[in-house]
Amino acid sequence: MNEITSVNYTNESYGEWDIKQKEIFEPCFFDGYNEGINAFELNLGVSYPALLHEQKVQYLKVFCLHCLDFLYFDGDLDKDLFYNLGYLQASLYRGFIEINNINSSLPEGSPGLRLHFDSHLKVLDISKIPETEKPAIIKAVPVEKPKPEKSTPAIETSPSLAFPRIELMCDLEEVEAIWRVLTAPMNTSKGKEEAALSNKELTDFLGSAFSSNAFPQILRHPENPFVKRTSRGDMRSVLNALMYSTYNLNHEYNRSVNQIEYVTSLKRHFSVFDGSKPESIKNVISANALKGMKVIKESRPINPHIEEMLSILKKHKLLH
């Protein structure tokens, strides 16, 4: 974090965070980080060196996921918290490097770091796709004397190729049930608002935003790209709440998808987010999700799908 970061970064929930806070807590973070680097072998346990390569990789993946479960900043400005975050970050980093080193040493193995950076670049590419950009038709450039064996057919980039969908590995019925609340009225600050989506629009949205290799027939990509206009204010917060809930549900099973991909999908399919960059949506999605969840709860008398949604979130301990 530097001065430019504090100017460009806005967070409604943690207004106390500034450059002075960095000077206080940065040393705590790096003290924990240095300790975590040095204690990595100790944390792996005495039996780790005796494992086979394949067993080590599986062991390390569980180790890294365990670190990720606790590696989050909830806004609590506490020195011990920053020390712990540094310790966990160092453990995660060393575990990740160890996985790549083992994969590189296996027969026909290749450095896994390349896969990580490929994924990172993919996320950046997705977040930079303009909202107004439409799938284009790319035609071959004609030549003076075309030959059959060298002719290039016209290639149509389908919506699924232009906009990658998020792979759902969680319960598809639960995801559908969460978003089904949009097919019934909502009580907002503007009064009662009719259903934001029809049943067909819900199916089109789910197929446009998400995919499932396990059940491809359930989430089918619609013929036309899905874009929907909804009211601003409370409905925008509701959409944040629904996407944030989907992210949390799926994250337990598919951690390869970054949260920026979820908010990019939200921006792509609902025009109410026009003018907001994916990064800015990501920075406030959790806070807005709380506002949206309040609107959802207050709509229970007129929306028959909300009770099922709330029960799903409580089941996964995402709602108390």
Side-chain angles (χ1 to χ4, degrees), residues 14-15 35 51 60 90 111 137 162 164 188-189 264:
Y14 313 122
E35 181 65 23
L51 297 176
L60 288 167
I137 297 178
T188 70
S189 57
T264 301

Side-chain angles (χ1 to χ4, degrees), residues 20-38:
K20 293 181 180 179
Q21 299 288 3
K22 174 191 174 182
E23 296 174 355
I24 298 173
F25 295 107
E26 185 179 51
C28 302
F29 177 88
F30 282 108
D31 285 346
Y33 186 90
N34 292 331
E35 181 65 23
I37 289 290
N38 296 327

Side-chain angles (χ1 to χ4, degrees), residues 152-165:
T152 306
I155 301 174
E156 182 176 348
T157 58
S158 66
S160 59
L161 293 177
F163 303 126
R165 298 183 293 168

Side-chain angles (χ1 to χ4, degrees), residues 87-299:
Y87 192 101
L88 286 166
Q89 180 65 54
S91 302
L92 179 63
Y93 170 74
R94 287 212 56 183
F96 175 70
I97 294 298
E98 183 72 7
I99 289 174
N100 284 278
N101 289 341
I102 293 175
N103 285 338
S104 300
S105 65
L106 293 174
E108 300 180 357
S110 61
L113 278 172
R114 179 182 60 78
L115 299 178
H116 167 72
F117 287 113
D118 284 351
S119 175
H120 176 68
L121 292 174
K122 170 191 170 187
V123 172
L124 291 180
D125 289 340
I126 292 174
S127 65
K128 292 177 181 178
I129 295 176
E131 180 67 22
T132 57
E133 181 177 317
K134 300 297 182 180
I137 297 178
I138 305 172
K139 296 184 177 180
V141 178
V143 295
E144 294 181 0
K145 295 181 179 180
K147 298 180 180 180
E149 64 275 15
K150 293 184 179 180
S151 61
T152 306
I155 301 174
E156 182 176 348
T157 58
S158 66
S160 59
L161 293 177
F163 303 126
R165 298 183 293 168
I166 295 172
E167 172 74 8
L168 293 182
M169 297 183 181
C170 56
D171 191 324
L172 301 185
E173 292 184 354
E174 290 184 341
V175 172
E176 182 182 1
I178 287 176
W179 287 91
R180 195 179 296 130
V181 299
L182 293 179
T183 63
M186 287 278 186
N187 280 328
T188 70
S189 57
K190 299 178 180 180
K192 178 181 176 181
E193 295 194 28
E194 294 304 317
L197 300 179
S198 66
N199 289 326
K200 182 183 184 306
E201 287 175 328
L202 173 63
T203 301
D204 288 346
F205 162 70
L206 294 175
S208 183
F210 307 110
S211 65
S212 172
N213 287 328
F215 304 99
Q217 72 280 5
I218 295 180
L219 293 175
R220 295 183 178 181
H221 203 291
E223 295 181 0
N224 300 312
F226 176 88
V227 179
K228 181 69 176 181
R229 182 175 298 277
T230 62
S231 64
R232 293 184 174 273
D234 286 347
M235 284 306 300
R236 178 176 167 130
S237 296
V238 167
L239 291 172
N240 270 305
L242 298 178
M243 187 59 83
Y244 192 62
S245 298
T246 306
Y247 161 75
N248 286 313
L249 272 180
N250 197 40
H251 186 64
E252 181 179 354
Y253 305 96
N254 186 4
R255 298 185 182 232
S256 65
V257 184
N258 193 292
Q259 192 178 114
I260 194 71
E261 294 194 47
Y262 288 85
V263 298
T264 301
S265 179
L266 195 63
K267 174 178 168 60
R268 182 183 305 137
H269 293 103
F270 293 96
S271 58
V272 70
F273 293 96
D274 286 350
S276 299
K277 295 181 179 180
E279 291 81 3
S280 65
I281 302 173
K282 175 180 178 294
N283 290 339
V284 298
I285 189 172
S286 58
N288 285 336
L290 293 176
K291 299 176 184 177
M293 197 59 65
K294 181 180 178 181
V295 174
I296 292 173
K297 290 180 179 179
E298 292 176 351
S299 301

